[in-house]
Amino acid sequence: MNVRIFMASAVILSGLCLFSGCKPKNMNNAVSADAATKAFVPPGQYDEFYNFVSGGFSGQMAVYGIPSGRLLRVIPVFSVDPEKGYGYAEETKGMLNTSHGIVPWDDLHHPELSQTNGEIDGRWVFGNANNTPRVARIDLTTFRTAEIIELPNSAGNHSSPFATENTEYVVAGTRFSVPADDVNGDIPISTYKENFKGYISFISVGKEDGAMDIAFQLQCPGVNFDLARAGKAKSHGWFFFSCYNTEQANTLLEVNASQRDKDFIMAVNWKKAEEYLAAGKGRKVKTKYAHNKYDENTHTAVSEIREEVTVLDTRELKDICYFIPCPKSPHGCDVDPTGEYIVGSGKLAAVIPVFSFDKLQKAISDQAFDGDFDGIPVVKYEAALYGEVQKPGLGPLHTEFDGLGNAYTSFFVSSEVVKWNIQELKVLDRAPTYYSVGHLCVPGGNTRKPSPKYVIAYNKITKDRYLPTGPELAQSAQLYDISGDKMTLINDFPTIGEPHYAQAAPAELIKNNSVKIFKIDANKHPYVAMGEPAAKVVREGNQVHVYMTSIRSHFAPDNIEGIRVGDEVYFHVTNLEQDWDVPHGFAVKGAQNAELLIMPGETQTLKWIPDRVGIFPMYCTDFCSALHQEMQGYVRVSPAGSNLPIAFSTGGSQPESK
C-alpha cells in the first residue's frame, strides 16, 4: 500500500473517530452486569495483581489493583512530589541529580518488572526517564525509588528499560541519535548522517541488592530506537530493538522518516558483546553522568558524578548486531514466551511480520545478507521471516502473549485489540477500545510464564467515556477477560497521565514482603533523635539544626525561639512511631518547598529560610490520630543580627535557652 494513501486514510479515520467519538450504539451497556462481577473486588478484599502503570509526562509511576482498577499508590520517581516530600526533603533531593544539576521532572514511559528464570520475581520495577536520560529502580518492599542512573551518550531514553530474563541487565536505547559526549557537539544539524550516533546501554543489576552500573554501551548507527525485548529460553543472550528513521532524517520526520517500505528490527548478541568486553575490545569514553542511590539505613540519597563509560563499536565488531528489515516505522518489538517468535509492529504497515529466531540464526550462519547499513549486516527479509498476519487492523503498536499460543496486538488507528494465533498467523478475535489504544499488558505477557486471564488496554483518548473535565479529558485503562475464546470488556478506569505502558505482577509475590516500619534503633541518619530527650536545637553560624521528634500527637520541641531572618533552618524530624501505617507530616508557614512525610522510624529534613520577623506555626500534615489537629507548634523569628539566644521547649511554660 502506498504510504501516503495509508497515512491519509489513517488520519481521516482518526478524525472521524474524534468527531463522532467512534461511539458504538451499545457503548453504555458495553460492560454487562455478569462481566462487571468479574472485576468486582469486595471492600476489605485484595486484588489479584499489582498493575504498575507509567505516569508519562507526570514523571511518576502509578500502582493500581487488578481487576478492581483501584488506585493504590503514586510512586514519585523522576518528578518532585509534594504529597510525599520527594525531591523537597533534603534527603531525597539527590535522587533527582543529573550531570545538568537537579532536574525535578521527566517523562516516564515503560515500567519493567524484574525476572528470575524468565518469570516475574516481584523484587523491583524499573522505569525510564525519556527526557533527561535515566533509568530508575523501585524497591517493591517499600514501593519507593531506590536508585537512579543517568545514561551518557544518550538522548530521548524512550527505548528503555527492558530486562533480560534473569535481570542480568536492564537495557536502554536512544530515541534521538546525537553526537557522542566525548566529541565536539557544536556541529551543523545537517551533518546528522555523518556525526550522529545511537547508543544502547547495558546496565548490570546486582543479583542480591539490585545495584545498577553501566556495564557497557554499544555505539550504533544514527537511527531512532523505539521498543525492545530480551530473548528468552532458546533466544536467551539476544536482544531485539525496533528502529525507525533509517532514512536518517533530521527534520519533519513525519514525512522524511516514512519514506522506506521497511525499517529494521536490530538483533543484538549481548553474549558476544560480553566476550568482546572481556577481551578488552571496549573503548573508554570520557563523559559525565550521575548515579543516585537511596540508603534505607541513613534515609538519605547519595549522588555521585561518574566520568567514564566503556563503549563497543558495532561497525568494528561485526557479529554483535544484525538488522532485520521490518515494515514500516515499527514501534513494538516483542518476543513470545518460547523465545522463537519475534513480532514487529509497524505503525504504517498493513501486516504484522513474525520472525523466527531459528531462521535468523541460520540466515546469519549462511550469511544470507542483503548488504549492510552503516557497517551492520542486513539479513534478508524472507530469510528471517516466519510469516505475516494479513489484514490485522490499522496502526499496530504493541503485542503481548498469553502463553497459550496466542498474541494480542493493539491498533491505535482502528482502536481495537486483536487476538491472533502465533503459529497459524490467523486473527481469532477483535475487541474495540475507547479510544486510540497505545500499549497493552497481559500480566507476565513479556515473560516465559504469562497469566492468561486479563489483557489491559491503555488508551490515549476517552471522549464520551467519563464526565468531562475541561479541555483535557481523563486517560484510561480498560480491562478485558481473556480466559475464554472471546475477549470480554469487564472494567475501565481513569489513570494518571500518561498511561503509556504497564506491567502487572501477582499480588502474592509482593504483598507479604512489604516493609511496614523502619526500626528506630537501626536509624543511622546523622541527625536522628532517638527519643524526646534527644530533641534539641543547635545553632552553627547562620545554620540552625532542629533535632525534632514526632509521635501521636505532638512534636518535640514544639516552641522554638532565637531563629533570625535569613537563617538556614533544618528541621530534622524523626518519627518515633513503631506501629504500621502511622506516618507523620511536617510543614512550616512560608516554606517555599513542600511538606515532609515521615514514615515510622524514619528521619527526614525540611530546609526553611525565614524571610520576615514574626511567629510561624508548624504542624503535622498527615492525619495521625484523633488529636491530629492539636499536633502543632510555633517558631519565633527575630530580626537578622538579633542577640536573642536559641531556646526551645515541649510542654514547658516557656522555651529553655540553649
Side-chain angles (χ1 to χ4, degrees):
M1 179 184 292
N2 182 283
V3 66
R4 295 182 184 276
I5 295 175
F6 181 87
M7 291 178 70
S9 300
V11 169
I12 291 170
L13 180 56
S14 295
L16 289 172
C17 287
L18 288 173
F19 181 76
S20 67
C22 285
K23 188 173 181 178
K25 292 180 180 178
N26 65 339
M27 192 196 82
N28 291 333
N29 298 314
V31 179
S32 68
D34 179 62
T37 61
K38 296 181 179 181
F40 178 66
V41 178
Q45 293 191 17
Y46 291 156
D47 282 282
E48 298 173 62
F49 295 92
Y50 289 97
N51 190 208
F52 299 92
V53 183
S54 76
F57 40 71
S58 78
Q60 321 288 30
M61 190 182 295
V63 186
Y64 297 86
I66 295 298
S68 73
R70 298 182 294 207
L71 178 62
L72 304 177
R73 184 169 180 82
V74 175
I75 304 171
V77 185
F78 300 113
S79 296
V80 294
D81 181 1
E83 178 193 359
K84 302 171 187 68
Y86 182 82
Y88 293 106
E90 295 300 298
E91 289 80 1
T92 55
K93 286 181 179 178
M95 294 301 292
L96 301 177
N97 192 38
T98 73
S99 61
H100 305 274
I102 297 292
V103 177
W105 165 87
D106 221 294
D107 188 11
L108 194 159
H109 279 207
H110 300 123
E112 180 81 357
L113 287 158
S114 57
Q115 299 179 29
T116 299
N117 297 324
E119 298 181 25
I120 293 169
D121 59 26
R123 293 187 296 167
W124 310 301
V125 60
F126 301 88
N128 65 319
N130 191 20
N131 185 59
T132 302
R134 290 168 283 175
V135 168
R137 175 175 61 87
I138 295 163
D139 186 335
L140 292 182
T141 64
T142 61
F143 281 68
R144 301 204 300 197
T145 303
E147 190 174 9
I148 295 178
I149 194 165
E150 188 180 3
L151 302 180
N153 299 309
S154 301
N157 176 40
H158 177 78
S159 183
S160 165
F162 306 105
T164 53
E165 61 178 353
N166 285 296
T167 321
E168 299 96 336
Y169 299 104
V170 290
V171 183
T174 50
R175 173 182 174 183
F176 306 112
S177 290
V178 291
D181 288 353
D182 64 338
V183 302
N184 179 16
D186 184 18
I187 57 175
I189 298 173
S190 60
T191 65
Y192 183 107
K193 291 184 179 181
E194 296 78 25
N195 294 313
F196 289 41
K197 301 297 177 186
Y199 283 80
I200 305 293
S201 301
F202 280 75
I203 302 166
S204 62
V205 180
K207 188 174 182 179
E208 299 301 326
D209 62 2
M212 299 191 298
D213 193 15
I214 298 178
F216 61 91
Q217 292 185 309
L218 301 180
Q219 180 180 295
C220 300
V223 297
N224 292 47
F225 294 102
D226 204 343
L227 296 177
R229 282 286 186 242
K232 53 182 72 77
K234 64 166 59 182
S235 55
H236 177 74
W238 287 76
F239 231 99
F240 304 93
F241 285 84
S242 62
C243 313
Y244 65 100
N245 191 25
T246 55
E247 297 86 351
Q248 296 185 306
N250 59 272
T251 183
L252 203 61
L253 264 63
E254 65 174 339
V255 174
N256 294 324
S258 303
Q259 298 298 308
R260 294 172 178 258
D261 287 335
K262 292 183 176 67
D263 289 283
F264 295 127
I265 299 292
M266 187 174 79
V268 178
N269 185 340
W270 59 263
K271 287 289 188 181
K272 180 63 69 174
E274 286 184 328
E275 292 177 14
Y276 282 126
L277 190 68
K281 298 294 185 181
R283 175 172 60 92
K284 301 294 185 183
V285 172
K286 294 295 181 183
T287 183
K288 286 188 176 182
Y289 62 100
H291 181 214
N292 314 322
K293 195 168 183 179
Y294 192 80
D295 186 332
E296 293 288 6
N297 294 311
T298 63
H299 309 296
T300 302
V302 175
S303 178
E304 62 173 324
I305 297 294
R306 298 184 175 181
E307 297 185 342
E308 188 176 77
V309 69
T310 302
V311 174
L312 299 171
D313 191 335
T314 58
R315 293 176 304 176
E316 299 173 1
L317 307 172
K318 300 290 187 181
D319 50 354
I320 295 179
C321 294
Y322 301 89
F323 280 133
I324 308 168
C326 181
K328 179 173 195 313
S329 296
H331 184 62
C333 176
D334 299 286
V335 180
D336 89 308
T338 70
E340 166 63 11
Y341 302 105
I342 303 125
V343 179
S345 297
K347 300 188 295 290
L348 303 179
V351 298
I352 299 176
V354 180
F355 301 100
S356 161
F357 180 74
D358 288 342
K359 292 186 71 174
L360 171 63
Q361 297 309 297
K362 186 176 188 304
I364 292 171
S365 177
D366 295 344
Q367 294 192 336
F369 301 142
D370 203 1
D372 69 83
F373 182 88
D374 201 5
I376 294 181
V378 177
V379 175
K380 291 182 178 179
Y381 181 66
E382 293 77 10
L385 184 70
Y386 172 74
E388 297 174 338
V389 181
Q390 299 292 323
K391 299 181 180 179
L394 292 176
L397 286 185
H398 172 226
T399 299
E400 298 248 311
F401 307 93
D402 63 9
L404 303 175
N406 303 311
Y408 300 78
T409 300
S410 58
F411 287 81
F412 177 80
V413 177
S414 50
S415 289
E416 59 183 335
V417 178
V418 175
K419 176 182 178 181
W420 51 278
N421 182 270
I422 301 170
Q423 289 195 337
E424 297 180 1
L425 303 175
K426 291 183 178 179
V427 172
L428 303 176
D429 190 25
R430 299 176 183 274
T433 63
Y434 308 101
Y435 307 95
S436 298
V437 58
H439 281 259
L440 298 173
C441 168
V442 172
N446 68 315
T447 71
R448 287 196 195 190
K449 191 176 179 180
S451 299
K453 189 170 185 179
Y454 303 115
V455 65
I456 311 159
Y458 302 93
N459 303 326
K460 307 300 185 185
I461 298 170
T462 57
K463 185 178 176 67
D464 297 326
R465 198 66 183 171
Y466 304 116
L467 288 171
T469 53
E472 184 178 19
L473 300 177
Q475 293 170 309
S476 76
Q478 294 189 298
L479 180 70
Y480 298 81
D481 180 354
I482 59 171
S483 59
D485 292 335
K486 298 294 183 180
M487 294 177 281
T488 305
L489 179 63
I490 60 173
N491 195 10
D492 65 3
F493 50 94
T495 67
I496 68 169
E498 173 200 2
H500 193 82
Y501 178 50
Q503 289 194 346
E508 295 301 322
L509 283 178
I510 298 172
K511 69 181 180 69
N512 295 327
N513 298 321
S514 184
V515 168
K516 295 178 171 60
I517 61 170
F518 298 100
K519 293 181 180 179
I520 190 69
D521 56 4
N523 187 326
K524 305 301 182 185
H525 193 287
Y527 292 97
V528 64
M530 286 294 191
E532 286 192 18
K536 59 184 177 180
V537 182
V538 178
R539 176 177 287 282
E540 298 175 0
N542 75 326
Q543 291 188 354
V544 178
H545 293 275
V546 181
Y547 295 72
M548 178 178 283
T549 64
S550 61
I551 196 165
R552 288 165 287 182
S553 296
H554 64 273
F555 295 109
D558 63 5
N559 280 206
I560 302 171
E561 296 185 2
I563 304 299
R564 303 166 188 161
V565 171
D567 278 346
E568 291 182 2
V569 183
Y570 294 89
F571 293 97
H572 309 288
V573 186
T574 299
N575 183 348
L576 298 179
E577 306 283 359
Q578 291 290 270
D579 288 335
W580 187 22
D581 195 28
V582 190
H584 287 295
F586 176 82
V588 61
K589 178 183 177 182
Q592 294 182 356
N593 35 30
E595 63 153 7
L596 296 178
L597 187 59
I598 314 109
M599 297 298 112
E602 186 178 43
T603 302
Q604 292 285 282
T605 302
L606 183 70
K607 180 181 178 180
W608 176 56
I609 302 177
D611 64 352
R612 66 195 67 178
V613 171
I615 300 296
F616 292 81
M618 54 188 180
Y619 68 104
C620 178
T621 54
D622 192 279
F623 193 92
C624 55
S625 73
L627 297 178
H628 164 73
Q629 203 72 352
E630 282 75 14
M631 192 167 176
Q632 66 174 56
Y634 294 99
V635 181
R636 174 184 172 187
V637 178
S638 301
S642 168
N643 292 322
L644 186 69
I646 288 289
F648 58 92
S649 67
T650 308
S653 58
Q654 61 183 8
E656 303 173 11
S657 296
K658 201 74 175 179

